[in-house]
Amino acid sequence: MVAVTDLEQKLNAVSISADITSSLHLEVRVKKGASKHEIEKLKDLIASSVTSIDDLYNWRSFGLTHPDLKDVIDQAMIGCSNTPDGQRMLMESKNIPVSNVHVYNVREGDALATSVETGDSESAVASHHWQLPCKEFDDIWENLIFDDNIKNDLLSFVYALLKLSDRGTNSNIIAVNRMVLLHGPPGTGKTSLCKALAQRLTVRLSNRYKRSIFIEVNSHSLFSKWFAESGKLIMKLFEQIEECASDPHQLVFVLIDEVESLTIGRTSSYKGNDPSDALRSVNAVLTQMDKIRRLKNVLVLTTSNITEALDEAFVDRADVNRYVGHPSEYAIYGIWLTVIKELQRVNIIDQSVVLSPVSSFPRFNENSQKLLVLASQCRGISGRTIRKLPVLAYSRLSLDHLTIEQFLHHLEAVIHEKISPKLNLHNQTGYEDKTISTIPETPL
């Protein structure tokens, strides 16, 4: 006979699996000072109020105007993992399960630095720990614009892991390492995507995990001046990670940014001054990765700007291996739309101006056509640089308020001044533009 507690656990697991199978979720951020516990009692009202809103887009935040909600809810966001990012959502025919309404508040404050001993009574900051959900990570997700469906794909991957775990699959038969590798040129949003993914999963899985922690590894501090010490430092770091994961109610995200500094190919390391220490470091990382794959509440997120330098055995361990390249002109257009909307929100650009979503191309209005032309002149430039250009354009004028025509005029001037010479230099040095030139599948 099955014990009552065991039966309850099995029923809870089935219930959780049913929730994560549903692709439509509503995330609701509580205003500072409001009671999350009290707002959770209003989930039915929140879900029903959303179905009456016409202008909703997938993974785009919006406000709630219901008199019982507008003073306690900061913003809400619809997320559907099988709908392209930014696509308009027709909610009249959709029902949001109450179990898929996620109420959360964000934590404020800085990350906690953790150290490891490096020998001779010295120590180094090995990682920074963030308690999630945190304010710093919260608005990243909706403002990341990609040409493909990478955001939904990553969410679907984690949901697949959870469903496999709920069904008790044998890890010796179905090999899963719970590791994601994002690679590509600098400034394309890889690190930001890792942070945003952790934030969204924390909100989505709050019923399963009471706490979430984001561990950002400081790779460069794990190299010691002492021979053979680097491998030991890596082991100490992963011991700290295992300690955090020992709490089954805590979800642990581990970010190893620029992972090539820890996992340089062992073949190429023979050419270095101290190949044996480099080999020990890579071997230590691989060994520790194999150990923590047993922990179902750990997800390892890694990024690299130099994929060719990575050890083949490390790359082979990644369950998801995705290239994140420079944005196409359509993604650049989408990025600038988010920037312009923010400038309109703070009343710097005329708020009456409406720019066309990229999904309406080629039926663009005049200003939208102009913006797309400017975007096409920035192909091959990183998303990080793309977001700086509107600020440079605004800085050219000593005005508090701009018309959209003024803004576009000075944005064009900045592009010709700052970007065109850079692109010419890339072309002279054999730069190859690999960005997508067709309209992406994902509406922006």
Side-chain angles (χ1 to χ4, degrees):
M1 181 176 179
V2 180
V4 174
T5 53
D6 293 338
L7 181 60
E8 288 176 346
Q9 290 176 354
K10 291 180 182 296
L11 290 175
N12 288 337
V14 172
S15 175
I16 291 173
S17 295
D19 291 344
I20 63 176
T21 300
S22 176
S23 63
L24 185 62
H25 292 254
L26 174 62
E27 301 178 11
V28 179
R29 188 171 75 193
V30 175
K31 282 189 176 181
K32 187 175 182 179
S35 170
K36 175 187 172 184
H37 178 70
E38 292 299 319
I39 295 174
E40 284 181 333
K41 299 177 182 178
L42 304 175
K43 283 186 176 183
D44 284 311
L45 175 61
I46 295 171
S48 61
S49 66
V50 169
T51 58
S52 61
I53 302 177
D54 293 329
D55 198 24
L56 291 182
Y57 296 86
N58 194 35
W59 294 122
R60 299 294 183 268
S61 60
F62 58 93
L64 294 175
T65 58
H66 192 282
D68 293 336
L69 301 175
K70 64 180 182 179
D71 293 331
V72 292
I73 292 177
D74 193 13
Q75 68 176 33
M77 183 165 60
I78 287 286
C80 187
S81 57
N82 59 13
T83 300
D85 184 22
Q87 180 169 300
R88 187 171 184 177
M89 303 287 290
L90 301 177
M91 300 301 299
E92 292 181 357
S93 59
K94 297 182 183 295
N95 291 319
I96 304 175
V98 174
S99 58
N100 284 6
V101 177
H102 311 284
V103 179
Y104 72 102
N105 44 26
V106 291
R107 294 177 171 86
E108 298 185 13
D110 297 327
L112 175 66
T114 60
S115 303
V116 292
E117 294 183 2
T118 60
D120 286 351
S121 301
E122 297 179 356
S123 63
V125 176
S127 61
H128 289 84
H129 293 198
W130 300 85
Q131 293 293 329
L132 301 181
C134 68
K135 184 177 181 180
E136 185 163 333
F137 292 6
D138 202 46
D139 293 323
I140 300 176
W141 182 268
E142 69 171 300
N143 290 299
L144 287 173
I145 308 296
F146 299 101
D147 288 290
D148 60 8
N149 210 30
I150 186 171
K151 294 197 289 187
N152 283 337
D153 290 346
L154 290 176
L155 281 175
S156 297
F157 164 69
V158 176
Y159 291 160
L161 291 182
L162 293 175
K163 286 185 280 187
L164 290 172
S165 176
D166 287 345
R167 293 178 181 272
T169 54
N170 189 331
S171 59
N172 293 320
I173 299 174
I174 300 179
V176 175
N177 291 301
R178 295 180 175 82
M179 188 178 86
V180 173
L181 171 61
L182 304 179
H183 59 94
T188 52
K190 301 182 294 296
T191 303
S192 296
L193 179 55
C194 291
K195 293 178 178 180
L197 176 66
Q199 181 88 343
R200 298 276 65 83
L201 288 171
T202 295
V203 174
R204 291 283 190 92
L205 303 176
S206 58
N207 290 333
R208 177 187 287 249
Y209 298 103
K210 296 179 181 179
R211 294 170 294 279
S212 292
I213 188 171
F214 184 88
I215 301 175
E216 187 170 7
V217 174
N218 184 6
S219 303
H220 303 288
S221 68
L222 298 177
F223 288 97
S224 174
K225 61 184 178 181
W226 305 108
F227 179 76
E229 281 295 315
S230 298
K232 295 179 182 178
L233 295 180
I234 291 171
M235 291 178 63
K236 291 178 182 178
L237 168 69
F238 277 88
E239 286 174 359
Q240 293 178 351
I241 294 172
E242 286 191 68
E243 184 178 352
C244 292
S246 62
D247 179 359
H249 301 294
Q250 178 162 265
L251 181 59
V252 180
F253 300 96
V254 180
L255 170 63
I256 308 178
D257 206 9
E258 298 181 1
V259 71
E260 62 269 12
S261 60
L262 290 179
T263 57
I264 188 170
R266 284 169 288 186
T267 301
S268 60
S269 69
Y270 281 115
K271 302 176 183 178
N273 294 327
D274 189 9
S276 59
D277 201 34
L279 286 173
R280 287 188 179 92
S281 299
V282 177
N283 289 336
V285 171
L286 296 178
T287 300
Q288 297 304 314
M289 291 293 295
D290 289 340
K291 285 181 63 178
I292 66 171
R293 69 181 291 269
R294 300 177 288 102
L295 305 174
K296 297 180 180 180
N297 58 332
V298 176
L299 179 65
V300 180
L301 307 167
T302 65
T303 72
S304 175
N305 297 331
I306 316 173
T307 319
E308 297 79 7
L310 295 177
D311 189 86
E312 184 178 351
F314 175 81
V315 175
D316 189 56
R317 280 167 168 78
D319 300 308
V320 176
N321 185 338
R322 289 289 289 265
Y323 175 78
V324 183
H326 292 310
S328 71
E329 59 261 44
Y330 300 101
I332 294 171
Y333 179 92
I335 291 171
W336 281 344
L337 275 187
T338 66
V339 174
I340 291 172
K341 287 180 180 178
E342 178 63 14
L343 293 176
Q344 288 178 317
R345 186 187 70 83
V346 297
N347 202 30
I348 289 178
I349 292 180
D350 184 4
Q351 296 179 347
S352 65
V353 174
V354 177
L355 294 173
S356 308
V358 75
S359 56
S360 65
F361 181 83
R363 298 180 300 278
F364 272 14
N365 58 39
E366 183 179 351
N367 288 323
S368 298
Q369 291 175 356
K370 175 68 172 178
L371 188 64
L372 183 61
V373 169
L374 296 179
S376 67
Q377 297 173 12
C378 297
R379 284 166 47 87
I381 298 298
S382 72
R384 182 185 296 138
T385 301
I386 292 298
R387 288 191 179 274
K388 294 177 182 178
L389 298 181
V391 178
L392 295 176
Y394 175 61
S395 69
R396 296 171 68 94
L397 288 171
S398 57
L399 298 174
D400 293 332
H401 187 73
L402 304 178
T403 65
I404 189 65
E405 290 79 14
Q406 288 174 316
F407 173 78
L408 293 176
H409 172 75
H410 287 279
L411 180 61
E412 181 177 18
V414 167
I415 291 171
H416 290 163
E417 178 183 323
K418 303 289 185 182
I419 300 302
S420 297
K422 184 181 294 187
L423 288 176
N424 290 334
L425 178 62
H426 281 313
N427 292 332
Q428 292 171 8
T429 56
Y431 170 77
E432 182 181 358
D433 186 358
K434 296 182 180 180
T435 54
I436 302 171
S437 59
T438 57
I439 298 178
E441 177 185 350
T442 302
L444 306 174

